[in-house]
Amino acid sequence: MMFTGKTKSGFVYCIPEKRIRNMELLDALTELETNGAALPEVLKLLLDDDAKRKLYDHVRDEDGTVPVEAVMTEIYDMLQNGKQAKNS
């Protein structure tokens, strides 16, 4: 099974269920609540390299930087969308 969807900003994603159900992802998300430095680990566990590159390109500023806040917002949207799909 795949978790697919689109974030509020229009980023389309497809995440294998196996990645969502990974205990290491839950550990990293828990760490992220108090330590922003855990974001790269969350990304590594949630998205494959191609999806991560696409996400970065999606949120990239005009000057070429990838804002941390924008990545966090996208990850939050993906997880919220997955939660809603599971509950429906």
Side-chain angles (χ1 to χ4, degrees), residues 2-3 5-6 18 20 25-26 31-32 35 46 57 59-60 64-65 68 70-71 73-74 84 86:
M2 301 292 271
F3 288 94
K6 186 190 295 187
K18 188 173 185 175
I20 298 289
L25 175 61
L26 181 58
E31 176 70 16
L32 185 60
N35 180 6
L46 189 62
D57 288 344
V59 299
R60 192 174 305 279
T65 59
V68 172
V71 173
T73 298
E74 297 301 302
Q84 290 171 2
K86 187 176 178 182

Side-chain angles (χ1 to χ4, degrees), residues 67-87:
V68 172
E69 299 82 11
V71 173
M72 290 284 290
T73 298
E74 297 301 302
I75 295 297
Y76 178 78
D77 279 358
M78 284 184 242
L79 295 172
Q80 283 299 110
N81 287 342
K83 183 179 175 184
Q84 290 171 2
K86 187 176 178 182
N87 289 338

Side-chain angles (χ1 to χ4, degrees), residues 14-73:
C14 184
I15 304 169
E17 180 180 11
K18 188 173 185 175
R19 284 185 180 259
I20 298 289
R21 299 200 185 283
N22 183 356
M23 186 62 199
E24 290 178 319
L25 175 61
L26 181 58
D27 289 342
L29 288 167
T30 301
E31 176 70 16
L32 185 60
E33 289 181 14
T34 58
N35 180 6
L39 182 58
E41 184 67 14
V42 169
L43 287 169
K44 181 177 91 172
L45 293 166
L46 189 62
L47 303 175
D48 63 24
D49 290 340
D50 185 53
K52 183 174 116 175
R53 180 184 47 75
K54 288 178 181 175
L55 173 62
Y56 283 9
D57 288 344
H58 178 77
V59 299
R60 192 174 305 279
D61 281 344
E62 306 81 43
D63 65 0
T65 59
V66 178
V68 172
E69 299 82 11
V71 173
M72 290 284 290
T73 298

